[in-house]
Amino acid sequence: MIVARLRRLPQWARWTGGIVAAGLVAAGGFVALAARVWLTAPIDTTGDVDFDRPLAIPPLASSTVVDGERIFDLRLQEGVADFGRGRTPTWGVNGDYLGPTLRAERGERVRIRVRNDLGEDTSLHWHGMHLPAAMDGGPHQPVGAGATWTPHWRIDQTAATLWYHPHLHGKTAAHVYRGLAGLFVLDDAKERSLPLPRSYGVDDIPVILQDKKLHDDGSLDEDAGLFRSAGLTGDTVVVNGTVGPYLDVSTEAVRLRVVNASNTRPYSLRFDDGSSFAMIASDGGLLDAPIFLTRLQLSVGERAEIVVALDPGERRVLRSGPSDSGDRLAGGGDRLDLLELRAADELRPAPALPAALTEQPALAEDEAVRTRTFDLAGFSINGRTMDLGRIDHASTVGDTEIWEVTNADGGSHNFHVHDVQFQVLAVDGEPPPPELAGQKDTVWIRPKETVRLIMRFEGYTSPGTPYMFHCHTLRHEDLGMMGQFVVVEPGQAPDDHVAGSAAGHH
């Protein structure tokens, strides 16, 4: 059986590998260069995947409502998964691998009891969520082995597809890779009023994209390998933890909530027949109107909601083509088959997409009180690597700021800001493409490119408890491409020290 493992290198490449290995001592730098080329040969699985396993759908997390507060219980635990090579030891949330989909309504108060039954510290960060810094789940809120952490806040943002994952400094890549991740879906009255697919698991489907590298015994290989400064790209593609997945579609249109939950790899999404699809939402929620695309790139941490129309009996394969990263070390040259959609012979009708979805408030550049610049290079931002005890800057609540972020070294970089959703004003001085017109919290930055972002800081302040900004290529943030900012009241100075951890309390 051919599973969704990336195709092994062709015979000539294996011969080249033998020559490279034999000549390392004698040939020095030339052989090292040859090894780099060999190790980064593009991979192509198009047409080679047997889509023979039904796509797993993460269950909706159960919850209780007590005194108007919705309470979720999450247990971080060890497990075992089947990635096509027998039993693979994994981590999961309330299960063997990945976690349930949390769902809450705008205006609701939520409380999440996070129990860590792993053998080491970890954390859970609510990626894309607007919330107090002490509840953010970043490196300053670790959850000790055997401990329970209970963040709580009020949902105060529009309907969106968010996600959760660990954010322990220096360990984020390993903990996400082992399986700690899941969706956090927010609902509101505006989104619910629209004629969109919304039956979870039927025509509203999570699509969590990851890649894995496996040892022969099925265990996860966590070694990125030689020359891979961007981090690990795997030789097995999994979707919602499923290898070679297919989705039976029973309606004329299906909504896919796509999350790039890989460690390193950008996905350039398209269908095998070149057909178009409608993008209706970005990281932070609905776009003003649907946009029709034949290709959509998502870097690590980015999300998009797309609606795909199908004819009865049709089969269509979601693929990832070469990305525009220019970085073969991050899988930028690979072509991958991801998921097959299988339409039933008879489909239930679906309403036409509305011409308008929402009206997003645009932030005006002339309202910005300052512009900050961020240069990403090596494993640092502005020449400084992450220091948990250092606050890099303070932003004032109510202020609008412009952040100019440059990929200064040409590596595989993107940029994520905690707490806020931003808008992209320009990409290298030009208006952003339509897919970047929505509310964003993570944005891809091509080599030597500068993106200009605008954001407003609202709601929560703490002079000593920081939020993060960082590259979301997970190895990069682990090695120091991350900084910290606090949001303060007008006239308030940041604390001289960073607040201690609130984790471990029962």
Side-chain angles (χ1 to χ4, degrees):
M1 179 187 70
I2 299 175
V3 297
R5 293 181 51 232
L6 308 185
R7 181 187 296 161
R8 292 188 181 276
L9 293 171
Q11 185 66 47
W12 68 264
R14 295 199 293 273
W15 290 338
T16 303
I19 295 169
V20 167
L24 276 173
V25 174
F30 173 79
V31 174
L33 178 61
R36 178 186 175 96
V37 173
W38 171 62
L39 287 167
T40 58
I43 302 163
D44 189 343
T45 67
T46 56
D48 279 355
V49 176
D50 289 338
F51 292 107
D52 56 3
R53 302 187 185 195
L55 178 69
I57 306 297
L60 289 171
S62 60
S63 62
T64 57
V65 178
V66 178
D67 296 330
E69 186 176 59
R70 185 169 299 279
I71 301 172
F72 297 93
D73 284 287
L74 300 182
R75 176 174 175 255
L76 314 183
Q77 61 188 78
E78 296 180 355
V80 176
D82 178 5
F83 295 146
R85 290 203 205 172
R87 294 165 60 84
T88 298
T90 54
W91 289 359
V93 183
N94 293 2
D96 286 325
Y97 186 75
L98 298 179
T101 296
L102 280 64
R103 197 151 198 168
E105 182 82 13
R106 185 174 193 178
E108 271 194 311
R109 290 185 293 119
V110 297
R111 180 177 297 267
I112 306 175
R113 296 186 292 225
V114 181
R115 167 78 184 184
N116 180 7
D117 283 338
L118 302 167
E120 59 184 272
D121 292 2
T122 188
S123 74
L124 277 188
H125 163 57
W126 320 106
H127 183 124
M129 193 75 73
H130 175 52
L131 76 178
M135 310 298 167
D136 187 51
H140 294 286
Q141 294 91 40
V143 188
T148 298
W149 176 55
T150 310
H152 53 91
W153 68 95
R154 184 181 297 276
I155 303 296
D156 186 22
Q157 60 196 100
T158 58
T161 300
L162 312 183
W163 69 301
Y164 59 89
H165 62 80
H167 210 306
L168 192 70
H169 187 44
K171 294 292 186 69
T172 297
H175 291 190
V176 173
Y177 186 64
R178 293 170 191 171
L180 298 184
L183 293 194
F184 201 139
V185 174
L186 304 184
D187 299 310
D188 66 15
K190 172 62 177 176
E191 188 277 338
R192 196 181 298 107
S193 72
L194 297 170
L196 297 173
R198 66 181 70 261
S199 180
Y200 184 83
V202 178
D203 61 3
D204 186 354
I205 308 295
V207 177
I208 303 173
L209 300 175
Q210 298 176 308
D211 57 341
K212 307 294 178 190
K213 184 168 69 167
L214 302 173
H215 293 292
D216 288 340
D217 65 0
S219 61
L220 290 171
D221 184 348
E222 298 186 19
D223 181 8
L226 292 173
F227 308 115
R228 294 189 179 271
S229 63
L232 190 149
T233 53
D235 62 1
T236 300
V237 174
V238 296
V239 184
N240 297 352
T242 309
V243 176
Y246 66 87
L247 175 68
D248 286 325
V249 178
S250 58
T251 55
E252 292 177 339
V254 63
R255 177 184 191 171
L256 305 180
R257 298 178 185 260
V258 187
V259 182
N260 183 346
S262 289
N263 280 39
T264 302
R265 180 186 299 281
Y267 293 91
S268 181
L269 303 176
R270 62 199 71 190
F271 283 99
D272 59 334
D273 61 356
S275 58
S276 65
F277 52 88
M279 180 179 176
I280 62 169
S282 186
D283 299 340
L286 292 172
L287 303 177
D288 287 339
I291 59 172
F292 292 88
L293 305 169
T294 58
R295 175 185 177 276
L296 174 63
Q297 179 157 294
L298 296 180
S299 63
V300 179
E302 286 186 283
R303 289 91 62 212
E305 297 178 32
I306 65 173
V307 175
V308 184
L310 295 164
D311 292 327
E314 183 179 6
R315 292 194 177 191
R316 200 180 302 173
V317 174
L318 181 65
R319 287 179 169 168
S320 177
S323 75
D324 58 8
S325 70
D327 188 352
R328 288 169 61 182
L329 299 175
D334 299 342
R335 300 173 185 269
L336 313 172
D337 275 358
L338 304 174
L339 168 68
E340 184 178 62
L341 304 182
R342 298 179 179 178
D345 291 337
E346 295 184 8
L347 298 174
R348 291 196 300 275
L353 286 177
L357 297 169
T358 191
E359 187 173 343
Q360 301 182 58
L363 297 176
E365 289 191 59
D366 60 7
E367 295 179 4
V369 299
R370 67 185 55 84
T371 297
R372 302 185 190 274
T373 59
F374 303 84
D375 285 352
L376 279 57
F379 300 116
S380 66
I381 300 178
N382 293 340
R384 304 196 332 176
T385 56
M386 175 66 174
D387 181 344
L388 285 169
R390 182 189 71 230
I391 295 173
D392 292 284
H393 74 258
S395 295
T396 300
V397 69
D399 278 359
T400 298
E401 296 186 354
I402 291 173
W403 289 17
E404 294 181 344
V405 189
T406 299
N407 180 343
D409 69 356
S412 186
H413 301 313
N414 67 2
F415 195 69
H416 171 52
V417 186
H418 290 210
D419 181 50
V420 298
Q421 293 289 329
F422 52 73
Q423 296 165 14
V424 181
L425 292 173
V427 178
D428 264 355
E430 299 294 328
E435 59 267 30
L436 295 184
Q439 301 291 321
K440 297 280 293 172
D441 55 60
T442 308
V443 64
W444 176 249
I445 313 174
R446 295 168 184 80
K448 303 301 182 179
E449 185 176 76
T450 296
V451 295
R452 186 172 169 86
L453 314 175
I454 188 168
M455 64 200 77
R456 177 177 292 147
F457 300 91
E458 298 177 313
Y460 305 110
T461 63
S462 174
T465 305
Y467 299 104
M468 307 295 122
F469 56 85
H470 58 88
C471 177
H472 215 286
T473 299
L474 299 186
R475 184 169 187 261
H476 290 179
E477 68 170 90
D478 277 347
L479 293 179
M481 190 172 275
M482 182 159 59
Q484 306 188 121
F485 71 98
V486 294
V487 180
V488 297
E489 297 290 342
Q492 187 180 36
D495 288 354
D496 293 332
H497 64 281
V498 174
S501 169
H505 296 289
H506 294 259

